[in-house]
Amino acid sequence: MRKTTATPADVARRVGGIPAQPGRKETGSMAEALVPGDGSVTQAAAPGSGSVARGVGAGAESVAQATGSGSVARAAAAGAGSGAHDAGAGAHGGVRDVIAGAGPVGPPGERPTVRLRDVGPEDQPRYAPEWLELREPADAAARAMDLLDPLRIRLANLPGRSGLAIHDLGCGTGSMGRWLAPRLDGAQHWILHDRDPYLLHFAAVASPRAAADGTRVTVETRRGDVARLTPDALLGASLVTASALLDVLTREEVETLAAACAGAGCPALLTLSVAGRVEFSTPDPLDDEIAAAFNDHQRRGGLLGPDAVTVACEAFAAHGATVKVHPSPWRLGPENVGLTAQWLRGWVGAAVEERPALAERAETYLTARLAACAAGDLHVTVHHSDLLALARPTGGV
């Protein structure tokens, strides 16, 4: 694949023929070409590039020896505490135009974005790559650097180490790999897991090409649902990573993840889980009420939301792991106007969906907050937590 300094989305569009504005009428046909309804393997070749992107049916896997730029997306960030629960804006920006769960695609017609194919009501939302790309700079700035030294020490002392096998769960467009791979020494093979082959394509073509010491980084993609992770899926793993994932899992799924890491004897670095707290530079009486409604919205359907880190600590500790937690807040100011505006719409929109009685007051609140944001007068801290679980080594990798 060609080297490039473009953003992940730019690369993916060129390589895979991905439309520049997902959600337009032609997007559906392209998505269906990449991922047929029967789940069979197809190939979408880039015009002039000679490279191939593979869309793989559930449970299958494809390998990409990726040599992407490793650059962080330079677009203004747009996101919220967690990729799966923060809401994106509708066309007009008002409370009633906000789709709770910004980032993911809602039911048909709710938000113009990427849809691989029609899905049933039992399917979970799919994430627009624009959402994940735009939040990447803020995610990178927030992740807890203090957890890297203990992680490096553990990785350097893994028995039988001859290179790292790193599993990135719910990888999205691959932002975790772009952040972490250049900060670790030694040859690395990243196994990128996501249920969405469209996002796996983004992740593969824009993956980093070299570790901190210049050794090679390679990539393999595996399509599958993290919620269906089996203990043997991580056998041979040196490290498990995830970003903005824990809070969209259930207690049972987190316990399964902890058991799988313990069985593999590998550490887990799980970043950017929402903490349920938000602070504004200029407090408003409605802040706490909206925050409480948003947190309740995140717990819908048995998901852990802001309770995720506590549950994960308990689950990993029960398997004998040493657990370290460090704050990883987003600190948003005038330089993050795009991010802050989108986060506000999502935060308020989810709260209103949870408590419709808030709608009228929330509309006024959101209008005032967006005006302050546009004027560069608003600072907000969105709290997250990063977790490092150091499982007991099993004696080999």
PDB file of all heavy atoms in Angstrom, residues 343-364:
ATOM      1  N   TRP A 343     -20.141  17.256  21.225  1.00  0.00           N
ATOM      2  CA  TRP A 343     -20.313  16.585  22.510  1.00  0.00           C
ATOM      3  C   TRP A 343     -21.539  17.137  23.254  1.00  0.00           C
ATOM      4  O   TRP A 343     -22.328  16.378  23.819  1.00  0.00           O
ATOM      5  CB  TRP A 343     -19.067  16.752  23.379  1.00  0.00           C
ATOM      6  CG  TRP A 343     -19.318  16.254  24.755  1.00  0.00           C
ATOM      7  CD1 TRP A 343     -19.281  14.958  25.184  1.00  0.00           C
ATOM      8  CD2 TRP A 343     -19.728  17.033  25.875  1.00  0.00           C
ATOM      9  NE1 TRP A 343     -19.644  14.881  26.506  1.00  0.00           N
ATOM     10  CE2 TRP A 343     -19.913  16.136  26.953  1.00  0.00           C
ATOM     11  CE3 TRP A 343     -19.958  18.401  26.081  1.00  0.00           C
ATOM     12  CZ2 TRP A 343     -20.319  16.579  28.219  1.00  0.00           C
ATOM     13  CZ3 TRP A 343     -20.342  18.828  27.326  1.00  0.00           C
ATOM     14  CH2 TRP A 343     -20.522  17.924  28.380  1.00  0.00           C
ATOM     15  N   LEU A 344     -21.694  18.457  23.255  1.00  0.00           N
ATOM     16  CA  LEU A 344     -22.851  19.060  23.926  1.00  0.00           C
ATOM     17  C   LEU A 344     -24.164  18.539  23.349  1.00  0.00           C
ATOM     18  O   LEU A 344     -25.088  18.169  24.083  1.00  0.00           O
ATOM     19  CB  LEU A 344     -22.799  20.582  23.785  1.00  0.00           C
ATOM     20  CG  LEU A 344     -21.943  21.344  24.795  1.00  0.00           C
ATOM     21  CD1 LEU A 344     -21.749  22.787  24.332  1.00  0.00           C
ATOM     22  CD2 LEU A 344     -22.585  21.306  26.177  1.00  0.00           C
ATOM     23  N   ARG A 345     -24.265  18.505  22.015  1.00  0.00           N
ATOM     24  CA  ARG A 345     -25.490  18.030  21.397  1.00  0.00           C
ATOM     25  C   ARG A 345     -25.780  16.580  21.781  1.00  0.00           C
ATOM     26  O   ARG A 345     -26.927  16.209  22.051  1.00  0.00           O
ATOM     27  CB  ARG A 345     -25.385  18.168  19.867  1.00  0.00           C
ATOM     28  CG  ARG A 345     -25.320  19.608  19.380  1.00  0.00           C
ATOM     29  CD  ARG A 345     -25.325  19.648  17.856  1.00  0.00           C
ATOM     30  NE  ARG A 345     -25.288  21.021  17.361  1.00  0.00           N
ATOM     31  CZ  ARG A 345     -24.207  21.600  16.849  1.00  0.00           C
ATOM     32  NH1 ARG A 345     -23.071  20.940  16.770  1.00  0.00           N
ATOM     33  NH2 ARG A 345     -24.250  22.846  16.410  1.00  0.00           N
ATOM     34  N   GLY A 346     -24.732  15.792  21.790  1.00  0.00           N
ATOM     35  CA  GLY A 346     -24.925  14.399  22.142  1.00  0.00           C
ATOM     36  C   GLY A 346     -25.287  14.194  23.595  1.00  0.00           C
ATOM     37  O   GLY A 346     -26.175  13.400  23.935  1.00  0.00           O
ATOM     38  N   TRP A 347     -24.614  14.896  24.456  1.00  0.00           N
ATOM     39  CA  TRP A 347     -24.835  14.785  25.893  1.00  0.00           C
ATOM     40  C   TRP A 347     -26.265  15.192  26.248  1.00  0.00           C
ATOM     41  O   TRP A 347     -26.977  14.471  26.947  1.00  0.00           O
ATOM     42  CB  TRP A 347     -23.817  15.680  26.594  1.00  0.00           C
ATOM     43  CG  TRP A 347     -23.705  15.533  28.073  1.00  0.00           C
ATOM     44  CD1 TRP A 347     -23.360  14.413  28.770  1.00  0.00           C
ATOM     45  CD2 TRP A 347     -23.892  16.569  29.031  1.00  0.00           C
ATOM     46  NE1 TRP A 347     -23.328  14.692  30.115  1.00  0.00           N
ATOM     47  CE2 TRP A 347     -23.654  16.010  30.299  1.00  0.00           C
ATOM     48  CE3 TRP A 347     -24.239  17.924  28.942  1.00  0.00           C
ATOM     49  CZ2 TRP A 347     -23.749  16.763  31.483  1.00  0.00           C
ATOM     50  CZ3 TRP A 347     -24.315  18.667  30.099  1.00  0.00           C
ATOM     51  CH2 TRP A 347     -24.082  18.091  31.355  1.00  0.00           C
ATOM     52  N   VAL A 348     -26.680  16.346  25.733  1.00  0.00           N
ATOM     53  CA  VAL A 348     -28.030  16.831  26.014  1.00  0.00           C
ATOM     54  C   VAL A 348     -29.073  15.953  25.324  1.00  0.00           C
ATOM     55  O   VAL A 348     -30.126  15.632  25.902  1.00  0.00           O
ATOM     56  CB  VAL A 348     -28.181  18.307  25.586  1.00  0.00           C
ATOM     57  CG1 VAL A 348     -29.623  18.779  25.751  1.00  0.00           C
ATOM     58  CG2 VAL A 348     -27.236  19.196  26.396  1.00  0.00           C
ATOM     59  N   GLY A 349     -28.801  15.544  24.094  1.00  0.00           N
ATOM     60  CA  GLY A 349     -29.764  14.727  23.359  1.00  0.00           C
ATOM     61  C   GLY A 349     -30.049  13.406  24.040  1.00  0.00           C
ATOM     62  O   GLY A 349     -31.204  12.970  24.130  1.00  0.00           O
ATOM     63  N   ALA A 350     -29.013  12.751  24.543  1.00  0.00           N
ATOM     64  CA  ALA A 350     -29.216  11.489  25.250  1.00  0.00           C
ATOM     65  C   ALA A 350     -29.986  11.698  26.537  1.00  0.00           C
ATOM     66  O   ALA A 350     -30.850  10.895  26.912  1.00  0.00           O
ATOM     67  CB  ALA A 350     -27.872  10.831  25.527  1.00  0.00           C
ATOM     68  N   ALA A 351     -29.693  12.781  27.232  1.00  0.00           N
ATOM     69  CA  ALA A 351     -30.399  13.082  28.478  1.00  0.00           C
ATOM     70  C   ALA A 351     -31.890  13.288  28.225  1.00  0.00           C
ATOM     71  O   ALA A 351     -32.738  12.804  28.987  1.00  0.00           O
ATOM     72  CB  ALA A 351     -29.796  14.321  29.135  1.00  0.00           C
ATOM     73  N   VAL A 352     -32.218  13.993  27.154  1.00  0.00           N
ATOM     74  CA  VAL A 352     -33.624  14.247  26.834  1.00  0.00           C
ATOM     75  C   VAL A 352     -34.318  12.964  26.414  1.00  0.00           C
ATOM     76  O   VAL A 352     -35.487  12.747  26.753  1.00  0.00           O
ATOM     77  CB  VAL A 352     -33.735  15.334  25.738  1.00  0.00           C
ATOM     78  CG1 VAL A 352     -35.161  15.436  25.217  1.00  0.00           C
ATOM     79  CG2 VAL A 352     -33.267  16.670  26.289  1.00  0.00           C
ATOM     80  N   GLU A 353     -33.627  12.112  25.685  1.00  0.00           N
ATOM     81  CA  GLU A 353     -34.240  10.845  25.323  1.00  0.00           C
ATOM     82  C   GLU A 353     -34.553  10.024  26.575  1.00  0.00           C
ATOM     83  O   GLU A 353     -35.579   9.345  26.642  1.00  0.00           O
ATOM     84  CB  GLU A 353     -33.335  10.046  24.393  1.00  0.00           C
ATOM     85  CG  GLU A 353     -33.957   8.723  23.983  1.00  0.00           C
ATOM     86  CD  GLU A 353     -33.154   7.992  22.938  1.00  0.00           C
ATOM     87  OE1 GLU A 353     -32.284   7.196  23.315  1.00  0.00           O
ATOM     88  OE2 GLU A 353     -33.404   8.217  21.737  1.00  0.00           O
ATOM     89  N   GLU A 354     -33.685  10.107  27.553  1.00  0.00           N
ATOM     90  CA  GLU A 354     -33.914   9.365  28.802  1.00  0.00           C
ATOM     91  C   GLU A 354     -35.022   9.997  29.638  1.00  0.00           C
ATOM     92  O   GLU A 354     -35.829   9.292  30.245  1.00  0.00           O
ATOM     93  CB  GLU A 354     -32.608   9.324  29.610  1.00  0.00           C
ATOM     94  CG  GLU A 354     -32.695   8.555  30.914  1.00  0.00           C
ATOM     95  CD  GLU A 354     -32.920   7.068  30.705  1.00  0.00           C
ATOM     96  OE1 GLU A 354     -32.616   6.552  29.607  1.00  0.00           O
ATOM     97  OE2 GLU A 354     -33.414   6.418  31.646  1.00  0.00           O
ATOM     98  N   ARG A 355     -35.060  11.325  29.660  1.00  0.00           N
ATOM     99  CA  ARG A 355     -36.063  12.040  30.456  1.00  0.00           C
ATOM    100  C   ARG A 355     -36.710  13.116  29.584  1.00  0.00           C
ATOM    101  O   ARG A 355     -36.280  14.278  29.578  1.00  0.00           O
ATOM    102  CB  ARG A 355     -35.428  12.681  31.694  1.00  0.00           C
ATOM    103  CG  ARG A 355     -34.771  11.682  32.634  1.00  0.00           C
ATOM    104  CD  ARG A 355     -34.231  12.351  33.872  1.00  0.00           C
ATOM    105  NE  ARG A 355     -33.385  11.444  34.648  1.00  0.00           N
ATOM    106  CZ  ARG A 355     -32.685  11.781  35.729  1.00  0.00           C
ATOM    107  NH1 ARG A 355     -32.727  13.051  36.152  1.00  0.00           N
ATOM    108  NH2 ARG A 355     -31.944  10.899  36.369  1.00  0.00           N
ATOM    109  N   PRO A 356     -37.737  12.774  28.842  1.00  0.00           N
ATOM    110  CA  PRO A 356     -38.373  13.725  27.924  1.00  0.00           C
ATOM    111  C   PRO A 356     -38.863  15.004  28.598  1.00  0.00           C
ATOM    112  O   PRO A 356     -38.975  16.044  27.925  1.00  0.00           O
ATOM    113  CB  PRO A 356     -39.535  12.915  27.343  1.00  0.00           C
ATOM    114  CG  PRO A 356     -39.097  11.489  27.449  1.00  0.00           C
ATOM    115  CD  PRO A 356     -38.309  11.412  28.722  1.00  0.00           C
ATOM    116  N   ALA A 357     -39.147  14.943  29.877  1.00  0.00           N
ATOM    117  CA  ALA A 357     -39.623  16.150  30.570  1.00  0.00           C
ATOM    118  C   ALA A 357     -38.566  17.253  30.580  1.00  0.00           C
ATOM    119  O   ALA A 357     -38.885  18.431  30.821  1.00  0.00           O
ATOM    120  CB  ALA A 357     -40.021  15.803  32.005  1.00  0.00           C
ATOM    121  N   LEU A 358     -37.316  16.900  30.299  1.00  0.00           N
ATOM    122  CA  LEU A 358     -36.246  17.893  30.267  1.00  0.00           C
ATOM    123  C   LEU A 358     -36.240  18.719  28.977  1.00  0.00           C
ATOM    124  O   LEU A 358     -35.538  19.722  28.891  1.00  0.00           O
ATOM    125  CB  LEU A 358     -34.887  17.202  30.383  1.00  0.00           C
ATOM    126  CG  LEU A 358     -34.421  16.723  31.755  1.00  0.00           C
ATOM    127  CD1 LEU A 358     -33.154  15.885  31.607  1.00  0.00           C
ATOM    128  CD2 LEU A 358     -34.150  17.908  32.660  1.00  0.00           C
ATOM    129  N   ALA A 359     -37.002  18.304  27.976  1.00  0.00           N
ATOM    130  CA  ALA A 359     -36.827  18.824  26.622  1.00  0.00           C
ATOM    131  C   ALA A 359     -36.854  20.343  26.527  1.00  0.00           C
ATOM    132  O   ALA A 359     -35.958  20.959  25.933  1.00  0.00           O
ATOM    133  CB  ALA A 359     -37.878  18.214  25.694  1.00  0.00           C
ATOM    134  N   GLU A 360     -37.862  20.975  27.091  1.00  0.00           N
ATOM    135  CA  GLU A 360     -37.993  22.426  26.919  1.00  0.00           C
ATOM    136  C   GLU A 360     -36.839  23.178  27.568  1.00  0.00           C
ATOM    137  O   GLU A 360     -36.227  24.057  26.962  1.00  0.00           O
ATOM    138  CB  GLU A 360     -39.333  22.907  27.492  1.00  0.00           C
ATOM    139  CG  GLU A 360     -39.594  24.378  27.234  1.00  0.00           C
ATOM    140  CD  GLU A 360     -40.990  24.794  27.673  1.00  0.00           C
ATOM    141  OE1 GLU A 360     -41.816  23.918  27.993  1.00  0.00           O
ATOM    142  OE2 GLU A 360     -41.258  26.014  27.688  1.00  0.00           O
ATOM    143  N   ARG A 361     -36.540  22.818  28.817  1.00  0.00           N
ATOM    144  CA  ARG A 361     -35.432  23.495  29.500  1.00  0.00           C
ATOM    145  C   ARG A 361     -34.097  23.162  28.831  1.00  0.00           C
ATOM    146  O   ARG A 361     -33.205  24.013  28.738  1.00  0.00           O
ATOM    147  CB  ARG A 361     -35.387  23.094  30.965  1.00  0.00           C
ATOM    148  CG  ARG A 361     -36.523  23.684  31.810  1.00  0.00           C
ATOM    149  CD  ARG A 361     -36.371  23.284  33.266  1.00  0.00           C
ATOM    150  NE  ARG A 361     -36.536  21.849  33.441  1.00  0.00           N
ATOM    151  CZ  ARG A 361     -35.932  21.134  34.400  1.00  0.00           C
ATOM    152  NH1 ARG A 361     -35.102  21.728  35.236  1.00  0.00           N
ATOM    153  NH2 ARG A 361     -36.148  19.839  34.491  1.00  0.00           N
ATOM    154  N   ALA A 362     -33.960  21.932  28.370  1.00  0.00           N
ATOM    155  CA  ALA A 362     -32.707  21.512  27.756  1.00  0.00           C
ATOM    156  C   ALA A 362     -32.463  22.248  26.440  1.00  0.00           C
ATOM    157  O   ALA A 362     -31.317  22.529  26.087  1.00  0.00           O
ATOM    158  CB  ALA A 362     -32.716  20.013  27.526  1.00  0.00           C
ATOM    159  N   GLU A 363     -33.522  22.573  25.716  1.00  0.00           N
ATOM    160  CA  GLU A 363     -33.377  23.312  24.466  1.00  0.00           C
ATOM    161  C   GLU A 363     -32.751  24.680  24.730  1.00  0.00           C
ATOM    162  O   GLU A 363     -31.809  25.101  24.036  1.00  0.00           O
ATOM    163  CB  GLU A 363     -34.744  23.481  23.805  1.00  0.00           C
ATOM    164  CG  GLU A 363     -34.705  24.020  22.392  1.00  0.00           C
ATOM    165  CD  GLU A 363     -34.368  22.932  21.378  1.00  0.00           C
ATOM    166  OE1 GLU A 363     -34.935  21.834  21.445  1.00  0.00           O
ATOM    167  OE2 GLU A 363     -33.519  23.225  20.514  1.00  0.00           O
ATOM    168  N   THR A 364     -33.253  25.370  25.730  1.00  0.00           N
ATOM    169  CA  THR A 364     -32.693  26.673  26.082  1.00  0.00           C
ATOM    170  C   THR A 364     -31.259  26.542  26.571  1.00  0.00           C
ATOM    171  O   THR A 364     -30.375  27.330  26.213  1.00  0.00           O
ATOM    172  CB  THR A 364     -33.562  27.326  27.173  1.00  0.00           C
ATOM    173  OG1 THR A 364     -34.899  27.460  26.685  1.00  0.00           O
ATOM    174  CG2 THR A 364     -33.025  28.688  27.565  1.00  0.00           C
TER     175      THR A 364
END
